[in-house]
PDB file of all heavy atoms in Angstrom:
ATOM      1  N   ALA A 226      28.211   5.192   1.255  1.00 96.00           N
ATOM      2  CA  ALA A 226      28.615   6.522   1.702  1.00 96.00           C
ATOM      3  C   ALA A 226      29.135   6.406   3.134  1.00 96.00           C
ATOM      4  O   ALA A 226      28.561   5.699   3.964  1.00 96.00           O
ATOM      5  CB  ALA A 226      27.433   7.485   1.641  1.00 96.00           C
ATOM      6  N   SER A 227      30.230   7.096   3.421  1.00 94.00           N
ATOM      7  CA  SER A 227      30.805   7.019   4.770  1.00 94.00           C
ATOM      8  C   SER A 227      31.590   8.290   5.070  1.00 94.00           C
ATOM      9  O   SER A 227      31.873   9.092   4.175  1.00 94.00           O
ATOM     10  CB  SER A 227      31.726   5.800   4.901  1.00 94.00           C
ATOM     11  OG  SER A 227      32.983   6.049   4.302  1.00 94.00           O
ATOM     12  N   ASP A 228      31.947   8.440   6.340  1.00 93.00           N
ATOM     13  CA  ASP A 228      32.827   9.528   6.746  1.00 93.00           C
ATOM     14  C   ASP A 228      34.239   9.002   6.971  1.00 93.00           C
ATOM     15  O   ASP A 228      35.048   9.629   7.656  1.00 93.00           O
ATOM     16  CB  ASP A 228      32.301  10.215   8.009  1.00 93.00           C
ATOM     17  CG  ASP A 228      32.157   9.248   9.183  1.00 93.00           C
ATOM     18  OD1 ASP A 228      32.524   8.051   9.046  1.00 93.00           O
ATOM     19  OD2 ASP A 228      31.677   9.680  10.256  1.00 93.00           O
ATOM     20  N   GLY A 229      34.540   7.856   6.400  1.00 89.00           N
ATOM     21  CA  GLY A 229      35.836   7.214   6.584  1.00 89.00           C
ATOM     22  C   GLY A 229      35.789   6.073   7.576  1.00 89.00           C
ATOM     23  O   GLY A 229      36.696   5.239   7.610  1.00 89.00           O
ATOM     24  N   GLN A 230      34.701   6.023   8.382  1.00 88.00           N
ATOM     25  CA  GLN A 230      34.545   4.935   9.352  1.00 88.00           C
ATOM     26  C   GLN A 230      33.852   3.771   8.642  1.00 88.00           C
ATOM     27  O   GLN A 230      32.641   3.634   8.684  1.00 88.00           O
ATOM     28  CB  GLN A 230      33.722   5.407  10.554  1.00 88.00           C
ATOM     29  CG  GLN A 230      33.656   4.427  11.721  1.00 88.00           C
ATOM     30  CD  GLN A 230      34.995   4.242  12.397  1.00 88.00           C
ATOM     31  OE1 GLN A 230      35.860   5.122  12.310  1.00 88.00           O
ATOM     32  NE2 GLN A 230      35.190   3.117  13.061  1.00 88.00           N
ATOM     33  N   ILE A 231      34.645   2.950   7.981  1.00 92.00           N
ATOM     34  CA  ILE A 231      34.103   1.857   7.197  1.00 92.00           C
ATOM     35  C   ILE A 231      35.079   0.684   7.231  1.00 92.00           C
ATOM     36  O   ILE A 231      36.301   0.886   7.205  1.00 92.00           O
ATOM     37  CB  ILE A 231      33.839   2.298   5.734  1.00 92.00           C
ATOM     38  CG1 ILE A 231      33.212   1.163   4.915  1.00 92.00           C
ATOM     39  CG2 ILE A 231      35.098   2.825   5.068  1.00 92.00           C
ATOM     40  CD1 ILE A 231      32.797   1.580   3.511  1.00 92.00           C
ATOM     41  N   THR A 232      34.550  -0.514   7.324  1.00 93.00           N
ATOM     42  CA  THR A 232      35.380  -1.707   7.200  1.00 93.00           C
ATOM     43  C   THR A 232      35.752  -1.842   5.737  1.00 93.00           C
ATOM     44  O   THR A 232      34.887  -2.027   4.880  1.00 93.00           O
ATOM     45  CB  THR A 232      34.615  -2.963   7.671  1.00 93.00           C
ATOM     46  OG1 THR A 232      34.183  -2.771   9.017  1.00 93.00           O
ATOM     47  CG2 THR A 232      35.501  -4.194   7.597  1.00 93.00           C
ATOM     48  N   LYS A 233      37.063  -1.717   5.437  1.00 93.00           N
ATOM     49  CA  LYS A 233      37.501  -1.704   4.045  1.00 93.00           C
ATOM     50  C   LYS A 233      37.232  -3.054   3.363  1.00 93.00           C
ATOM     51  O   LYS A 233      37.118  -4.086   4.000  1.00 93.00           O
ATOM     52  CB  LYS A 233      38.986  -1.356   3.968  1.00 93.00           C
ATOM     53  CG  LYS A 233      39.317   0.045   4.482  1.00 93.00           C
ATOM     54  CD  LYS A 233      38.643   1.128   3.640  1.00 93.00           C
ATOM     55  CE  LYS A 233      39.211   2.504   3.911  1.00 93.00           C
ATOM     56  NZ  LYS A 233      38.891   2.982   5.257  1.00 93.00           N
ATOM     57  N   ARG A 234      37.170  -2.989   2.037  1.00 95.00           N
ATOM     58  CA  ARG A 234      36.708  -4.131   1.243  1.00 95.00           C
ATOM     59  C   ARG A 234      37.402  -5.453   1.564  1.00 95.00           C
ATOM     60  O   ARG A 234      36.716  -6.465   1.791  1.00 95.00           O
ATOM     61  CB  ARG A 234      36.846  -3.810  -0.251  1.00 95.00           C
ATOM     62  CG  ARG A 234      36.359  -4.942  -1.160  1.00 95.00           C
ATOM     63  CD  ARG A 234      36.673  -4.667  -2.614  1.00 95.00           C
ATOM     64  NE  ARG A 234      38.093  -4.474  -2.838  1.00 95.00           N
ATOM     65  CZ  ARG A 234      38.986  -5.458  -2.914  1.00 95.00           C
ATOM     66  NH1 ARG A 234      38.598  -6.723  -2.786  1.00 95.00           N
ATOM     67  NH2 ARG A 234      40.264  -5.193  -3.114  1.00 95.00           N
ATOM     68  N   PRO A 235      38.752  -5.554   1.598  1.00 96.00           N
ATOM     69  CA  PRO A 235      39.348  -6.873   1.851  1.00 96.00           C
ATOM     70  C   PRO A 235      38.969  -7.438   3.219  1.00 96.00           C
ATOM     71  O   PRO A 235      38.665  -8.630   3.348  1.00 96.00           O
ATOM     72  CB  PRO A 235      40.852  -6.622   1.745  1.00 96.00           C
ATOM     73  CG  PRO A 235      40.977  -5.363   0.952  1.00 96.00           C
ATOM     74  CD  PRO A 235      39.790  -4.536   1.330  1.00 96.00           C
ATOM     75  N   VAL A 236      38.994  -6.591   4.247  1.00 97.00           N
ATOM     76  CA  VAL A 236      38.644  -7.052   5.594  1.00 97.00           C
ATOM     77  C   VAL A 236      37.158  -7.364   5.669  1.00 97.00           C
ATOM     78  O   VAL A 236      36.736  -8.336   6.312  1.00 97.00           O
ATOM     79  CB  VAL A 236      39.032  -5.992   6.646  1.00 97.00           C
ATOM     80  CG1 VAL A 236      38.565  -6.413   8.041  1.00 97.00           C
ATOM     81  CG2 VAL A 236      40.533  -5.757   6.634  1.00 97.00           C
ATOM     82  N   ARG A 237      36.339  -6.569   4.962  1.00 97.00           N
ATOM     83  CA  ARG A 237      34.903  -6.823   4.949  1.00 97.00           C
ATOM     84  C   ARG A 237      34.589  -8.165   4.300  1.00 97.00           C
ATOM     85  O   ARG A 237      33.726  -8.913   4.751  1.00 97.00           O
ATOM     86  CB  ARG A 237      34.186  -5.678   4.222  1.00 97.00           C
ATOM     87  CG  ARG A 237      32.684  -5.731   4.370  1.00 97.00           C
ATOM     88  CD  ARG A 237      31.953  -4.536   3.771  1.00 97.00           C
ATOM     89  NE  ARG A 237      32.785  -3.448   3.378  1.00 97.00           N
ATOM     90  CZ  ARG A 237      33.048  -3.122   2.111  1.00 97.00           C
ATOM     91  NH1 ARG A 237      32.527  -3.849   1.137  1.00 97.00           N
ATOM     92  NH2 ARG A 237      33.816  -2.102   1.831  1.00 97.00           N
ATOM     93  N   ALA A 238      35.312  -8.486   3.217  1.00 97.00           N
ATOM     94  CA  ALA A 238      35.089  -9.769   2.550  1.00 97.00           C
ATOM     95  C   ALA A 238      35.412 -10.933   3.486  1.00 97.00           C
ATOM     96  O   ALA A 238      34.657 -11.913   3.559  1.00 97.00           O
ATOM     97  CB  ALA A 238      35.939  -9.849   1.287  1.00 97.00           C
ATOM     98  N   ILE A 239      36.512 -10.812   4.218  1.00 97.00           N
ATOM     99  CA  ILE A 239      36.873 -11.863   5.181  1.00 97.00           C
ATOM    100  C   ILE A 239      35.833 -11.944   6.289  1.00 97.00           C
ATOM    101  O   ILE A 239      35.411 -13.026   6.707  1.00 97.00           O
ATOM    102  CB  ILE A 239      38.279 -11.590   5.765  1.00 97.00           C
ATOM    103  CG1 ILE A 239      39.338 -11.715   4.671  1.00 97.00           C
ATOM    104  CG2 ILE A 239      38.576 -12.540   6.933  1.00 97.00           C
ATOM    105  CD1 ILE A 239      40.720 -11.277   5.111  1.00 97.00           C
ATOM    106  N   THR A 240      35.380 -10.778   6.746  1.00 98.00           N
ATOM    107  CA  THR A 240      34.416 -10.731   7.851  1.00 98.00           C
ATOM    108  C   THR A 240      33.085 -11.354   7.450  1.00 98.00           C
ATOM    109  O   THR A 240      32.503 -12.142   8.201  1.00 98.00           O
ATOM    110  CB  THR A 240      34.220  -9.277   8.312  1.00 98.00           C
ATOM    111  OG1 THR A 240      35.471  -8.738   8.726  1.00 98.00           O
ATOM    112  CG2 THR A 240      33.230  -9.214   9.470  1.00 98.00           C
TER     113      THR A 240
END
Side-chain angles (χ1 to χ4, degrees):
S227 78
D228 58 3
Q230 188 67 24
I231 182 174
T232 303
K233 297 297 194 292
R234 181 187 58 78
V236 175
R237 190 174 349 108
I239 294 172
T240 301

